[in-house]
Amino acid sequence: MGNPPSAPSPDVVLEVQDLVKYYPVKRGVVFKRTVGQVRAVDGVSLALRRGRTLGLVGESGSGKSTLAKVLVGVEQPTSGRILVDGIDVSAMKRAQRRELRRRIQLVFQDPYTALNPRMPAGEIVGEAYAIHPRLVPKGGRARAVRELFDLVGLNPDHVNRYPHQFSGGQRQRLGIARALAVKPQILICDEPVSALDVSIQGQVINLLERLQDELGLAYLFIAHDLAVVRHIADEVAVMYLGSVVERGTETEVYEQTRHPYTRALMSAVPLPDPSMRHRREEIVLSGDVPSPAAPPSGCRFHTRCWLAPLVAGAASDSADVTIDEPAAVPAVCRTDRPELLPQGPPDHLAACHFAEKLTENTTRAEAAR
Amino acid sequence: MPLLQVRDLAVEFVTADGVVRAVDGLSYAVDAGQTLAIVGESGSGKSVSSLAVMGLLQSPPARIPSGSITFAGTDLLTLSRKQHRAFCGEHIGMVFQDALAALNPVYTVGWQLTEALRARHGLTRRDARRRAMELLDLVQVPAARQRAREYPHQFSGGMRQRAMIAMALAMDPEVLIADEPTTALDVTVQAQIMKLLAEIQAERDMALILITHDLGVVASVADTVTVMYAGKAVEQGEVQRIYSRPAHPYTRALLRAIPRLDHKGRQLDVIPGRPPDPLHLPDGCAFHPRCDRAEDVCRAAPPPPLAELPGGGSAACYFAVEVMADGKPAERAES
């Protein structure tokens, strides 16, 4: 997985290089031994820019939440580097790390369990000031908390209420206010709107966009809803079984898709337009995501890929297509793991041996040719 | 006559703080082979209404002060609870959102299916087992023979949902109620399940009632739509019309609030505020505090009734015809 060493750009606030996180699978009660590894994150490289949003999409089990945990320091990476403002996190001293934790904050998915039910909302939001006393602005903690409430669109008079007295959308605002208390540069948002009703989702998304404009925050926006990600993200990375399979600007990934998995994900999102019902390309992937404890060989996606059999069918003289398996997967997909390579624009990357088969308007029939 | 008809249904819950009217005057009908989508946010009463149809509400605290639920000439609300359950067992099946909670964790999936088949059709153990395998094949569970020996927790989310659909189909229902069947699933698996439901529905000429908050799913499968807000149906009609010319400001606002995959768009239009507290519903139209079209008449009692629209369908808004004439909800996104 040779990633070309990217030139450090002044805008990049967070860079991840070849990040790997394996969890050991253990057997035995007394004498525990490691019998395998769950490859949750397996060689991911990403960059986050100041004032910009990177959307991260993928199905459950793709490793997107594990990546978030590693980035905020809840989990230690197995290997790979995390650079914040160009400085390697693993080389940092204790005090520097504490400072780092302040700069990267997390907004959780479930606003119901992320807040301590026995703590008044104001204390939840202001709690971090106990750890970072020098961050308390002039006028004291209470005033800072009221200002934060105002910033996220909550009534500052509600600082003494408890979490259960707030609605789902308001709790998510509390979670955002808590993250903003320590003046972070980076927000990792792990499915921040998926637990909310449609009418409330839009309010929280608009709030996040406004805060980004006002405070110049960089967002890593993790979600499984591709429409929400398209709306908020400037750049998008698509993950499958621990690896990024496609990366590029929002327009590149959504309109010039170059990976069959991305194409399948997008065709599976139902459009809110009944007149499109039978006029859209539909690719229904078979089966579930394979276990990250035993990922498929070669290209991880080859067991569910819709493009590979079409390509193999086109090259029917190739030796690995037998009569028993008429639409087999090309040998290269089963043996070689494809690298994330530029597709046209230098920043639009896709990891597929046959990415060139998927140009802008290729339908499935055309890809077979 | 429609296969299943709900008329003027009301459901109330008696709580310590007062009586909550969770469903208020709901009417709808479905025919064989048709798909009705009931759309609404959490707390709109969409799930409670289907639990009432199935006879699954705990009473107390729930009570049904008025209405009728007629299936092929039989009013289910005149039956005893036991008769009601038995009747639904034969004619109306239900698929729940959380398949892990709906399946029994201590029995294998195959055992649960086999038992259901034996109880319903009086099959011998051997015949029931064969039929169970056929059903698991039908819902496309791979290696059905082996998977039947596994427990629900060993199934993935999508497989569990398939097992539950198989369980509902074992009863040979004429109506299938699916309550958020794909909400907890990934989009790729959601597409598989929706396709499967559509195939089975067509094959069996079954009526499908789909309860969901996902307007994308509704657009891709429903024939008719009922939009609920604060316990009431605020708009009903044919799916094309609802999406192209919504007549209720709530429907229009919902359609505007969803981010779309096919274009980026700028600021999302939002619905200000939040759904009302069911214990303290606002006077007049329950949507008026969040409505962009509200006038004095909307704030005063009584709330607008569900009235017929020119060209079919109905909406509960004094300005329905105007709202409908305003044009497509998607048009503002291009501007």
Side-chain angles (χ1 to χ4, degrees):
Chain A
M1 282 150 284
N3 283 284
S6 47
S9 148
D11 273 354
V12 173
V13 284
L14 175 73
E15 198 176 352
V16 173
Q17 291 176 349
D18 260 330
L19 194 77
V20 173
K21 176 67 192 174
Y22 288 173
Y23 292 97
V25 179
K26 294 202 162 138
R27 276 270 160 75
V29 182
V30 184
F31 301 103
K32 284 201 178 15
R33 60 206 163 87
T34 305
V35 294
Q37 273 166 334
V38 175
R39 297 156 183 250
V41 175
D42 204 0
V44 166
S45 301
L46 295 170
L48 235 66
R49 286 168 230 283
R50 183 168 290 117
R52 311 274 277 171
T53 301
L54 173 67
L56 188 60
V57 296
E59 292 173 272
S60 40
S62 62
K64 44 193 204 313
S65 291
T66 305
L67 183 65
K69 283 184 192 158
V70 174
L71 289 182
V72 294
V74 176
E75 295 278 4
Q76 292 306 310
T78 308
S79 71
R81 298 210 299 168
I82 302 171
L83 306 171
V84 176
D85 282 338
I87 302 163
D88 191 337
V89 170
S90 63
M92 284 184 182
K93 302 223 164 58
R94 231 181 121 93
Q96 276 178 307
R97 275 202 201 185
R98 171 179 281 202
E99 168 62 12
L100 177 81
R101 298 249 195 291
R102 175 187 73 75
R103 280 155 62 179
I104 308 178
Q105 290 292 316
L106 185 63
V107 175
F108 295 89
Q109 169 176 7
D110 187 353
Y112 296 86
T113 52
L115 306 173
N116 185 341
R118 289 160 184 262
M119 225 189 223
E123 272 183 44
I124 292 176
V125 170
E127 196 184 9
Y129 290 133
I131 298 160
H132 300 281
R134 62 170 190 84
L135 284 174
V136 181
K138 273 189 205 129
R141 183 167 150 174
R143 186 161 147 211
V145 168
R146 289 177 71 90
E147 280 170 8
L148 282 165
F149 267 59
D150 197 44
L151 181 68
V152 299
L154 289 170
N155 184 345
D157 294 336
H158 291 171
V159 288
N160 290 324
R161 292 196 176 185
Y162 286 87
H164 75 267
Q165 291 170 295
F166 292 92
S167 70
Q170 289 175 318
R171 282 182 230 204
Q172 199 53 282
R173 287 172 196 268
L174 276 178
I176 294 168
R178 171 173 64 182
L180 293 179
V182 291
K183 303 200 168 48
Q185 293 171 301
I186 301 161
L187 277 196
I188 313 277
C189 307
D190 191 0
E191 303 268 9
V193 297
S194 42
L196 305 176
D197 270 320
V198 193
S199 74
I200 308 298
Q201 250 187 29
Q203 296 176 3
V204 173
I205 291 171
N206 284 351
L207 170 68
L208 285 170
E209 289 187 329
R210 176 169 67 78
L211 291 171
Q212 182 167 52
D213 288 346
E214 285 174 16
L215 308 171
L217 297 165
Y219 291 155
L220 178 66
F221 192 93
I222 302 173
H224 68 275
D225 186 329
L226 284 104
V228 169
V229 169
R230 172 153 208 194
H231 183 82
I232 199 168
D234 304 300
E235 290 169 278
V236 178
V238 182
M239 277 186 84
Y240 186 75
L241 271 184
S243 322
V244 172
V245 295
E246 182 161 6
R247 206 172 97 192
T249 65
E250 164 268 320
T251 320
E252 283 163 357
V253 172
Y254 280 80
E255 284 173 18
Q256 290 130 38
T257 311
R258 299 303 291 274
H259 197 283
Y261 176 63
T262 315
R263 179 72 79 87
L265 262 188
M266 288 201 283
S267 92
V269 178
L271 283 183
D273 185 355
S275 61
M276 293 295 286
R277 203 175 278 188
H278 297 295
R279 296 180 13 216
R280 255 179 106 211
E281 179 193 35
E282 268 183 46
I283 305 165
V284 177
L285 292 181
S286 56
D288 295 317
V289 182
S291 162
S297 62
C299 171
R300 302 253 157 117
F301 185 55
H302 87 254
T303 52
R304 298 172 80 201
C305 188
W306 56 273
L307 180 64
L310 297 177
V311 174
S316 52
D317 52 337
S318 88
D320 61 319
V321 179
T322 65
I323 298 147
D324 300 326
E325 285 177 82
V329 170
V332 62
C333 297
R334 277 186 277 124
T335 53
D336 294 0
R337 194 153 167 208
E339 279 181 41
L340 205 53
L341 296 173
Q343 311 288 328
D347 287 337
H348 185 195
L349 309 175
C352 175
H353 294 299
F354 298 99
E356 78 280 3
K357 295 271 182 193
L358 279 183
T359 44
E360 242 160 282
N361 295 311
T362 0
T363 61
R364 267 196 285 184
E366 281 161 5
R369 262 180 243 138
Chain B
M1 197 176 76
L3 186 60
L4 176 70
Q5 186 156 32
V6 171
R7 267 207 209 100
D8 205 27
L9 179 72
V11 181
E12 292 177 343
F13 289 93
V14 182
T15 70
D17 300 323
V19 176
V20 173
R21 201 159 245 244
V23 178
D24 191 3
L26 176 69
S27 300
Y28 63 75
V30 259
D31 283 315
Q34 291 273 303
T35 300
L36 163 73
I38 303 182
V39 187
E41 297 180 81
S42 34
S44 62
K46 55 191 198 302
S47 292
V48 171
S49 66
S50 57
L51 292 177
V53 171
M54 294 298 291
L56 288 174
L57 288 171
Q58 276 292 343
S59 181
R63 62 180 189 212
I64 300 177
S66 69
S68 67
I69 301 170
T70 318
F71 180 92
T74 310
D75 184 355
L76 304 186
L77 294 181
T78 59
L79 304 177
S80 73
R81 188 181 157 84
K82 207 172 165 190
Q83 286 170 322
H84 188 166
R85 295 288 310 119
F87 193 90
C88 285
E90 274 184 53
H91 302 288
I92 307 175
M94 185 149 179
V95 176
F96 297 88
Q97 175 181 346
D98 186 355
L100 193 59
L103 295 168
N104 192 326
V106 299
Y107 292 106
T108 64
V109 170
W111 188 92
Q112 294 182 55
L113 250 178
T114 313
E115 271 310 291
L117 285 162
R118 293 183 64 202
R120 162 82 165 92
H121 300 291
L123 298 179
T124 63
R125 193 158 286 165
R126 173 196 291 253
D127 287 345
R129 211 171 289 151
R130 200 181 50 233
R131 183 84 189 104
M133 295 306 140
E134 286 170 14
L135 282 167
L136 286 177
D137 276 340
L138 176 73
V139 295
Q140 294 154 23
V141 171
R145 208 159 268 288
Q146 187 196 331
R147 299 309 298 262
R149 282 195 288 269
E150 293 181 7
Y151 292 86
H153 75 268
Q154 293 170 290
F155 277 48
S156 68
M159 283 304 146
R160 231 176 264 147
Q161 202 54 266
R162 283 166 202 274
M164 195 158 55
I165 293 171
M167 201 90 68
L169 292 178
M171 303 289 115
D172 288 328
E174 286 131 275
V175 180
L176 185 67
I177 302 178
D179 188 354
E180 305 267 11
T182 58
T183 303
L185 306 175
D186 281 314
V187 276
T188 55
V189 181
Q190 165 175 293
Q192 294 169 5
I193 299 285
M194 290 318 300
K195 189 164 173 253
L196 174 72
L197 277 175
E199 281 167 9
I200 291 169
Q201 179 191 23
E203 200 183 291
R204 301 188 164 210
D205 202 27
M206 200 168 65
L208 180 65
I209 299 177
L210 181 70
I211 296 162
T212 182
H213 68 277
D214 188 328
L215 290 159
V217 172
V218 173
S220 51
V221 301
D223 299 304
T224 53
V225 180
T226 291
V227 182
M228 290 188 73
Y229 188 78
K232 284 194 168 77
V234 293
E235 180 158 5
Q236 295 185 304
E238 184 264 325
V239 66
Q240 285 283 357
R241 200 274 301 158
I242 296 233
Y243 279 74
S244 58
R245 288 181 304 134
H248 197 284
Y250 176 63
T251 316
R252 185 175 65 178
L254 266 187
L255 287 169
R256 284 180 179 174
I258 29 176
R260 293 190 51 141
L261 185 71
D262 45 357
H263 51 239
K264 178 142 176 98
R266 259 175 265 130
Q267 266 249 318
L268 279 179
D269 283 350
V270 299
I271 309 179
R274 53 189 163 117
D277 175 358
L279 271 171
H280 306 100
L281 288 180
D283 283 339
C285 171
F287 186 59
H288 88 251
R290 307 175 75 191
C291 185
D292 55 4
R293 188 66 191 75
E295 291 183 16
D296 286 344
V297 61
C298 309
R299 293 173 197 113
L306 201 60
E308 296 276 323
L309 295 168
S314 53
C317 175
Y318 292 118
F319 305 104
V321 176
E322 267 176 58
V323 172
M324 199 160 79
D326 264 1
K328 289 186 71 162
E331 270 169 13
R332 57 82 225 184
E334 265 96 34
S335 64

